[in-house]
Amino acid sequence: MTLPLILYRSLRQHALSTLVTAGSIALAVGLLMVVWMVKAQSQRAFVETSTGFDAVLGARGSRLQLVLNAIFHLEASPGNISAADFEQIRRHPAVKAAIPLAVGDNYRGYRIVGTQEELFTKVEYARGRRYVVQPGGRVFAGAAHEALVGSFAAERLGLRVGDTFQPYHGLIFDPKSQHEEVYTVVGILEPTNTPADRVLWIPLAGIQNMKGHDPKFATDLSAVLLQLRTPQAGFMLDMMYNRQGNRLTFAYPVGAIVANLFGKIGWFDRVLALVAYLVAFVAAGSVLASIYASMSARRRDLAIFRALGARRHTLFTAVVAEAAVIGALGAAAGFVVYGALLMGVARIIRAQTGVALDVFAGHPVLWIAPVAMVALCALGGVIPAIKAYRVPVAETLAPTS
Amino acid sequence: MLTITDLRKSFPSPEAGGRPVEIVRVARFELAAGQQFGLRGESGSGKTTFLHLIAGLLAADAGRIDFDGVDVAALGEAARDRLRAERMGYIFQTFNLLQGYTVLENVLLGMSFGGGRMDRDHARALLERVGLGTRLHHFPRQLSTGQQQRVAVARALANRPRLVLADEPTGNLDRRRGQEALALIREACAEAGAALLLVSHDPEVLGQFSAVRDFAELNRPAAPGAA
Ligand SMILES: Nc1ncnc2c1ncn2[C@@H]1O[C@H](COP(=O)(O)OP(=O)(O)O)[C@@H](O)[C@H]1O
Ligand SMILES: [Mg+2]
């Protein structure tokens, strides 16, 4: 009972500095947890998304760009490939599945991608997962002006089964470049938490024959998604397209290319983590400073405690505990900061890439960061605690009159 | 209950070039259980130092302080703290109340450092006894000087001590209140069965005691430079 009373009174007496310090701790803990979660979650989401296809075949260019464009629906396509190239790879004995993609149009900023029904009926878009059409809808038919809309795009555009829309030309929304064709939504996909949720899917021929597109290239494709029968096939095709040929790029293996991307942008979350660590140390330092500052005001109290029979180590413990309690208050508030920040970041990532972070997923950082912060604060309390330990009773209590 | 033999304490003195100067040298002093004793002494004669030594707030240089069968002078600091927390009460001239704590909390803290539990009923009873039953949740600064003094008395008795040490407890009060406060301390100690050792430079205060001694008679430190 003694310790809680002393802690309570002490914190109350220095309420303002307690609040300010706990606030900066909350910021540090929240930031640390968000940085780690976003890193872990986005990596998981991106890697998971890229497990469905082994390779992407496209125009000569950067493999990363090819993968980003074909699988994550980001960036522009590096160029086109011909129908003949598609036929060739589709028939290759090492290829299990080949799904053509054609891009180049959008509807109010959401990409329209032309493809074949097989993508929704035959293949897994990620390991063990297939696209599912929401009840009341269906996959578009062969050459019809029909669309199957990703869940996020449907939600944002307010599209439902039976609604119609007119595509716009290009990947970037420009109100002046609307096509004449009218498409009817025949199905909405269940959420996949992948970039596909942001896509409006139409038949391949739809993009290819869109009025205003050059009829000369009407049979061209943007890329082909590939599932291979064996890993050896990948190396063989890599050799064939990338080393011997010079017209096309065979991006393989997709997983390694994505991992490589995370390696490249790793500096970004290292910088964020560094910022979070700095904030954490500043926060622990301010715990030290605020308790230390209140120490001289409390010298007399401490001497009185001693006169009442409190042992030195009891006072030492009380001061360290006070620092730890400030740390714990801050860490608890850190979860509020964490929740708010993560929701915000997740919403942005979702809107920008379609990748949904699992906001409620567990991660060791969610207990390591708060516990480490409390420990760091307790450590910050040690110096003032030593000062408390050393208060000379008789001298401090000698009447000054 | 309290027997002091050959107790000595020196402090380094700036006047003597930092060499130790003896402040306390008491050959023999005795106090019986429940006894009330007044010591009169000039300011600067070492009374406070003497009480600090008995309370174990200062370590003795030599000698024995037998209190309830233990030699306080031979104990380490932690053991002295425990002994003080469990069996002694101390009333300061300046009261030394904890300003950030309520009246009730001040008394509760007076009983809790010995490892005993915080007995709220006992604390309330004590505060009622000293006439502060309606001021339990006031802070010291909200009380008059006389009331603060009474909180200090209640706190000194909170751990049911065997011995209460009072260092000029009326020094900050006017004459009439001083007399009242003294009467209260003596009655409360008697009721609680605690012995009382009170030091003061005020002959009038000490008039109330049946047992009074001159501290100068008792305390005969070596003259500076003699050692
Ligand atoms: N910690 C200390 N260091 C040096 N000298 C001290 C210390 N405490 C007390 N003294 C000296 O001891 C003498 C007695 O002090 P004190 O016991 O407070 O006397 P009293 O209570 O009788 O007025 C004084 O001269 C004082 O200067
Ligand atoms: Mg004195």
Side-chain angles (χ1 to χ4, degrees):
Chain A
M1 268 315 286
T2 316
L3 201 60
L5 175 62
I6 294 177
L7 291 179
Y8 169 71
R9 281 299 177 196
S10 192
L11 292 172
R12 277 280 304 260
Q13 261 175 297
H14 317 102
L16 186 67
S17 77
T18 300
L19 274 180
V20 171
T21 308
S24 61
I25 291 164
L27 210 60
V29 170
L31 214 57
L32 259 178
M33 295 194 298
V34 165
V35 169
W36 280 91
M37 274 309 264
V38 168
K39 182 183 148 103
Q41 280 285 311
S42 57
Q43 203 147 351
R44 179 202 59 78
F46 273 89
V47 169
E48 209 163 85
T49 304
S50 56
T51 53
F53 295 95
D54 305 306
V56 178
L57 182 68
R60 198 72 177 177
S62 137
R63 292 165 202 224
L64 180 59
Q65 192 185 354
L66 209 50
V67 169
L68 285 178
N69 184 55
I71 293 182
F72 296 101
H73 306 288
L74 296 167
E75 304 278 319
S77 162
N80 286 349
I81 69 171
S82 69
D85 288 324
F86 170 56
E87 279 306 311
Q88 187 188 9
I89 188 95
R90 191 171 69 83
R91 298 216 176 134
H92 197 286
V95 171
K96 193 165 81 183
I99 307 287
L101 298 178
V103 298
D105 287 320
N106 78 89
Y107 180 60
R108 299 192 179 280
Y110 289 86
R111 285 183 185 212
I112 296 173
V113 178
T115 187
Q116 289 175 346
E117 295 149 85
E118 279 89 341
L119 179 59
F120 306 100
T121 56
K122 293 231 167 62
V123 301
E124 295 180 344
Y125 68 86
R127 199 169 295 138
R129 302 200 314 193
R130 288 170 187 278
Y131 288 109
V132 177
V133 182
Q134 289 183 10
R138 59 175 173 82
V139 179
F140 54 73
H145 283 185
E146 291 178 347
L148 181 58
V149 183
S151 60
F152 186 76
E155 181 194 314
R156 281 311 175 89
L157 296 168
L159 289 176
R160 293 165 185 220
V161 172
D163 288 351
T164 57
F165 65 91
Q166 275 174 271
Y168 293 85
H169 186 63
L171 292 177
I172 293 156
F173 177 51
D174 172 6
K176 292 194 288 286
S177 63
Q178 197 161 22
H179 286 295
E180 289 166 19
E181 284 87 346
V182 175
Y183 277 80
T184 305
V185 177
V186 295
I188 311 280
L189 288 167
E190 293 285 4
T192 61
N193 292 338
T194 70
D197 292 349
R198 294 170 45 87
V199 172
L200 292 84
W201 303 95
I202 63 171
L204 191 61
I207 293 269
Q208 291 173 330
N209 300 325
M210 200 80 73
K211 288 203 189 75
H213 289 183
D214 191 338
K216 225 173 23 196
F217 304 116
T219 57
D220 278 5
L221 305 165
S222 303
V224 184
L225 299 172
L226 295 165
Q227 287 175 347
L228 305 177
R229 290 191 197 283
T230 61
Q232 289 86 335
F235 294 111
M236 198 184 76
L237 291 168
D238 175 50
M239 184 68 86
M240 182 174 122
Y241 283 107
N242 298 331
R243 306 280 167 82
Q244 290 158 6
N246 60 5
R247 282 186 311 112
L248 301 176
T249 293
F250 181 73
Y252 172 86
V254 169
I257 293 169
V258 173
N260 190 18
L261 168 69
F262 274 94
K264 277 182 195 153
I265 60 173
W267 65 269
F268 180 69
D269 45 52
R270 278 200 295 277
V271 166
L272 273 182
L274 195 67
V275 169
Y277 286 132
L278 278 178
V279 178
F281 275 101
V282 169
S286 77
V287 169
L288 190 157
S290 81
I291 294 186
Y292 197 86
S294 73
M295 218 59 221
S296 34
R298 280 193 288 167
R299 242 174 101 82
R300 200 167 180 85
D301 278 10
L302 292 167
I304 295 170
F305 289 143
R306 291 294 316 282
L308 295 176
R311 296 164 68 167
R312 283 184 195 276
H313 83 243
T314 306
L315 301 187
F316 183 91
T317 310
V319 174
V320 170
E322 182 177 340
V325 166
I326 295 176
L329 287 176
F335 280 96
V336 177
V337 174
Y338 166 74
L341 268 179
L342 190 61
M343 297 272 188
V345 171
R347 189 170 303 145
I348 293 170
I349 292 182
R350 180 98 203 270
Q352 294 299 317
T353 68
V355 170
L357 305 188
D358 183 356
V359 182
F360 297 103
H363 190 276
V365 77
L366 293 184
W367 66 264
I368 292 175
V371 167
M373 196 64 224
V374 171
L376 200 62
C377 288
L379 202 66
V382 164
I383 291 171
I386 289 172
K387 208 179 164 187
Y389 187 87
R390 289 198 181 141
V391 166
V393 191
E395 280 169 43
T396 309
L397 292 185
T400 43
S401 56
Chain B
M1 181 202 57
L2 178 69
T3 308
I4 289 168
T5 14
D6 290 327
L7 179 64
R8 290 182 201 192
K9 180 69 182 175
S10 303
F11 286 119
S13 161
E15 304 302 315
R19 273 178 296 124
V21 167
E22 200 165 74
I23 302 296
V24 170
R25 181 189 285 211
V26 173
R28 186 142 184 105
F29 177 76
E30 281 180 68
L31 191 70
Q35 192 186 354
Q36 304 201 334
F37 202 101
L39 281 177
R40 173 179 50 234
E42 294 302 307
S43 178
S45 59
K47 304 183 297 297
T48 297
T49 306
F50 184 55
L51 293 191
H52 279 169
L53 287 167
I54 297 172
L57 286 167
L58 283 175
D61 292 342
R64 295 179 60 92
I65 305 169
D66 288 301
F67 172 66
D68 257 357
V70 232
D71 179 8
V72 178
L75 295 177
E77 191 185 53
R80 297 200 309 268
D81 291 340
R82 162 107 39 83
L83 192 71
R84 180 168 65 252
E86 287 173 359
R87 283 188 259 168
M88 292 189 203
Y90 204 111
I91 304 173
F92 298 88
Q93 177 181 349
T94 48
F95 316 146
N96 282 327
L97 298 181
L98 294 154
Q99 297 298 323
Y101 296 75
T102 65
V103 164
L104 183 63
E105 287 165 352
N106 263 277
V107 176
L108 287 172
L109 284 171
M111 64 178 69
S112 63
F113 288 113
R117 63 184 195 91
M118 286 187 174
D119 183 346
R120 285 176 168 267
D121 294 335
H122 181 47
R124 264 197 210 101
L126 280 169
L127 284 164
E128 262 154 37
R129 172 65 189 85
V130 300
L132 291 174
T134 57
R135 298 284 187 280
L136 300 182
H137 303 293
H138 281 54
F139 286 90
R141 62 173 181 279
Q142 299 169 317
L143 302 177
S144 72
T145 315
Q147 287 173 325
Q148 292 185 30
Q149 161 71 299
R150 286 186 262 152
V151 178
V153 173
R155 188 178 67 183
L157 292 168
N159 58 343
R160 304 177 198 272
R162 297 265 294 143
L163 171 65
V164 171
L165 302 166
D167 190 354
E168 315 243 19
T170 58
N172 280 7
L173 301 177
D174 62 41
R175 221 182 119 231
R176 194 170 65 85
R177 290 202 203 290
Q179 292 296 336
E180 280 172 16
L182 192 63
L184 177 67
I185 292 171
R186 299 190 55 205
E187 283 164 26
C189 284
E191 286 162 20
L196 172 66
L197 176 58
L198 183 146
V199 302
S200 177
H201 66 272
D202 183 354
E204 204 166 330
V205 167
L206 294 160
Q208 285 197 16
F209 286 84
S210 49
V212 182
R213 255 184 100 176
D214 254 325
F215 190 57
E217 233 172 73
L218 188 69
N219 185 32
R220 299 185 165 279

